[in-house]
């Protein structure tokens, strides 16, 4: 269909107006705070579920080798669209992420992601590559392969900060499961956000799957969480305020205090000295010889990485990447404990004693008796509501938790018995479908 100049005019006018608004300079941190608070969560029912799964890409014939950008890109360029609708991205260090669209319920989300993972695995196997589902790369040193300007600037930002080593590890050596859930009705936002945070330590202990980094045991069950804990808390710490009664205001305060990571001029340029976003807005510091625009604000929000991030929905970011045998049960458990009202009430009581035990969970996992008790209670609550389709995965996850073992324990045992390179190579071959 050919569009005439007359019919195109109003649409072009709308595009121009949108561009003008995006490029309008912001001049008041109070106005910006209100804008952030008003837009961070969307009122509505719960029920939609989006999944984002990351895994490290290895060559099982040479697990020390990091596959190159072009090598991975050549495989992925032929895979779109995937049957379940997932988008494929390559993380800075070569980890591959599948980001599924919102599904009406957790089971459809799991089914769609499982199908997309199978297509991705087969394509990588044909190229001699495999995926390894761990929260941290246990073998290779941090190295960026993604040439994107955003990641180059991010690398420069961290290198100039006190968290340079942790920033490099976070960017290039970690992998997670991210769960996206509706914010729910506005009247329940405070309780829902508080519970999403309170569940964090218990779910970290259940999912901990990164006992090693760069070839060495770290002494932590979730080294991924330890890495995040070494980062600037103004960018990566929990958002939750003292009372937690107003998630929008908490997020606005957090976002304005967080330092600016990069500015587009037009390519991403790292800001290598500490500039809180509020200082840029109020003109105390000018970056790129100007104040920020709405586009700058929106981009700034994408550079903040708290464990629970409001993006109109709730993006829950604290789970290590775990193997196929249990990730569907893990996803179902966390979704159920937040979306089922009766389960949520029970879970809130179960995790209250360990609601702030983030470091203990990452270091000890289920070896901590309070986290062990909370984890068993939460799994029991979820298992009572689990459908038959997830019976095998739920039974495996429950067995792990009942015996006080997280996935990191299984991986550590294999490394001790077979060596780290052999264990990683075998995991990558298993992803290719080999025994």
């Amino acid at each position: 269909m050919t569009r005439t100049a007359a019919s195109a005019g109003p649409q072009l006018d709308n595009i121009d107006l949108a561009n003008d608004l995006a490029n309008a300079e912001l001049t008041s941190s109070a106005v910006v705070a209100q804008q952030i608070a008003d837009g961070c969560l969307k009122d509505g029912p719960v029920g939609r579920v989006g999944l984002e799964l990351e895994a490290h890409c290895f060559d099982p014939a040479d697990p020390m080798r990091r596959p190159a950008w072009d090598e991975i890109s050549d495989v992925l360029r032929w895979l779109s669209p995937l049957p379940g609708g997932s988008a494929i991205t390559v993380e800075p260090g070569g980890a591959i992420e599948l980001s599924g669209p919102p599904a009406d319920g957790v089971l459809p989300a799991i089914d769609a992601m499982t199908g997309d993972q199978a297509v991705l695995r087969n394509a990588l196997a044909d190229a001699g590559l495999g995926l390894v589902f761990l929260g941290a790369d246990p073998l290779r040193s941090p190295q960026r392969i993604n040439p994107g300007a955003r990641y180059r600037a991010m690398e420069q930002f961290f290198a100039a900060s006190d968290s340079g080593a942790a920033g490099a590890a976070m960017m290039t050596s970690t992998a997670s499961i991210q769960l996206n859930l509706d914010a729910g009705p506005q009247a329940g936002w405070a309780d829902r956000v508080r519970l999403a945070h309170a569940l964090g330590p218990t779910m970290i202990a259940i999912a901990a799957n990164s006992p090693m980094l760069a070839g060495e045991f770290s002494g932590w069950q979730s080294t991924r969480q330890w890495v995040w804990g070494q980062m600037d808390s103004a960018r990566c710490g929990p958002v939750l305020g003292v009372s937690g009664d107003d998630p929008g205001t908490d997020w606005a305060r957090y976002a304005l205090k967080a330092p600016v990571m990069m500015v587009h001029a037009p390519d991403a340029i790292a800001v290598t000295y500490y500039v809180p976003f509020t200082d840029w807005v109020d003109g105390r510091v000018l970056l790129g010889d100007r104040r920020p625009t709405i586009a700058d604000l929106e981009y700034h929000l994408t550079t903040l990485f708290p464990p629970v991030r409001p993006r109109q929905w709730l993006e829950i970011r604290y789970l290590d990447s775990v193997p196929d045998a249990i990730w569907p049960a893990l996803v179902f458990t966390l979704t159920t404990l937040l979306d089922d009202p009766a389960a949520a009430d029970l879970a809130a009581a179960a995790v209250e004693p360990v609601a702030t035990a983030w470091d203990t969970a990452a270091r000890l996992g289920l070896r901590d008796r309070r986290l062990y008790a909370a984890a068993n209670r939460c799994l029991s609550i979820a298992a009572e509501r689990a459908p038959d389709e997830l019976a095998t995965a739920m039974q495996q996850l429950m067995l792990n938790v009942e015996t006080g073992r997280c996935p990191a324990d299984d991986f550590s045992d294999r490394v001790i018995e077979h060596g780290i390179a052999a264990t990683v190579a075998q995991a990558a071959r298993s992803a290719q479908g080999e025994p």
Side-chain angles (χ1 to χ4, degrees):
M1 179 180 186
T2 302
R3 187 180 300 277
T4 67
S7 63
Q11 292 200 5
L12 292 175
D13 288 344
N14 289 337
I15 292 173
D16 290 340
L17 178 59
N19 288 336
D20 288 343
L21 289 173
N23 292 320
E25 288 193 4
L26 305 171
T27 59
S28 167
S29 58
V31 172
V32 172
Q34 192 62 53
Q35 180 177 341
I36 295 171
D38 290 345
C40 70
L41 295 174
K42 184 177 180 179
D43 185 27
V46 301
R48 292 182 304 167
V49 177
L51 298 178
E52 301 179 34
L53 270 63
E54 299 173 338
H56 304 283
C57 185
F58 277 91
D59 176 355
D62 184 4
M64 284 296 299
R65 182 178 78 85
R66 189 180 294 272
W69 171 257
D70 290 343
E71 184 180 359
I72 296 174
S73 298
D74 286 344
V75 176
L76 302 184
R77 74 173 76 250
W78 307 107
L79 294 187
S80 184
L82 290 171
S86 293
I88 309 175
T89 53
V90 180
E91 296 300 300
I96 300 175
E97 179 180 70
L98 291 178
S99 301
D104 291 328
V106 65
L107 288 182
I110 290 171
D111 288 343
M113 182 59 67
T114 300
D116 288 350
Q117 277 192 324
V119 174
L120 174 61
R121 274 199 179 92
N122 290 337
L124 289 169
D126 289 343
L129 303 175
L131 297 175
V132 175
F133 293 86
L134 287 164
D137 186 330
L139 187 57
R140 302 169 301 195
S141 298
Q143 179 187 350
R144 178 175 63 88
I145 68 163
N146 189 322
R150 172 184 170 95
Y151 295 127
R152 182 176 62 250
M154 187 181 294
E155 185 177 62
Q156 293 167 348
F157 172 87
F158 286 126
S161 73
D162 292 334
S163 56
M170 179 276 287
M171 288 177 60
T172 67
S173 300
T174 62
S176 69
I177 296 172
Q178 294 182 21
L179 183 61
N180 300 311
L181 300 177
D182 287 315
Q186 185 171 357
W189 284 351
D191 288 340
R192 186 164 172 77
V193 171
R194 275 196 296 264
L195 180 57
H197 283 83
L199 284 166
T202 298
M203 296 305 301
I204 287 169
I206 293 171
N209 190 34
S210 47
M212 303 186 72
L213 181 68
E216 297 183 355
F217 281 103
S218 67
W220 293 65
Q221 295 287 68
S222 177
T223 305
R224 174 185 172 275
Q225 186 64 26
W226 174 81
V227 167
W228 283 97
Q230 303 307 299
M231 308 286 288
D232 182 0
S233 62
R235 167 166 271 105
C236 302
V239 174
L240 202 64
V242 174
S243 69
D245 291 335
D246 188 351
T249 297
D250 288 342
W251 178 233
R253 185 182 299 112
Y254 185 101
L256 286 169
K257 287 184 177 180
V260 180
M261 176 179 280
M262 62 188 81
V263 176
H264 286 277
D267 291 332
I269 305 296
V271 179
T272 55
Y273 52 101
Y274 200 92
V275 181
F277 194 84
T278 188
D279 285 1
W280 191 17
V281 173
D282 289 334
R284 285 185 286 272
V285 177
L286 298 181
L287 299 175
D289 295 324
R290 60 176 176 81
R291 293 194 188 195
T293 65
I294 293 175
D296 290 317
L297 169 61
E298 292 175 350
Y299 194 80
H300 172 66
L301 296 177
T302 72
T303 68
L304 308 181
F305 311 115
V308 180
R309 182 166 67 174
R311 300 186 60 190
Q312 296 191 335
W313 62 91
L314 295 183
E315 181 184 76
I316 300 172
R317 306 168 52 85
Y318 45 62
L319 299 176
D320 278 7
S321 179
V322 298
D324 286 347
I326 60 170
W327 76 252
L330 191 67
V331 165
F332 175 83
T333 296
L334 185 50
T335 302
T336 299
L337 298 181
L338 281 164
D339 280 5
D340 181 300
D345 288 343
L346 295 171
V351 301
E352 192 276 333
V354 291
T356 60
W358 297 88
D359 284 352
T360 301
R363 183 167 53 88
L364 298 178
L366 296 173
R367 298 170 190 167
D368 179 87
R369 61 179 181 81
R370 297 187 307 158
L371 286 162
Y372 174 82
N376 275 279
R377 178 60 179 138
C378 285
L379 258 294
S380 175
I381 294 166
E384 292 174 356
R385 295 160 171 81
D388 292 342
E389 298 96 309
L390 295 182
T392 300
M394 286 298 300
Q395 288 170 3
Q396 182 60 60
L397 187 60
M398 290 186 70
L399 177 62
N400 289 359
V401 173
E402 287 171 1
T403 55
R405 293 178 64 84
C406 52
D409 293 306
D410 294 333
F411 181 78
S412 296
D413 287 350
R414 290 193 293 272
V415 169
I416 291 169
E417 182 176 358
H418 303 292
I420 181 172
T423 299
V424 170
Q426 180 56 46
R429 282 193 294 270
S430 297
Q432 294 177 329
E434 297 183 24

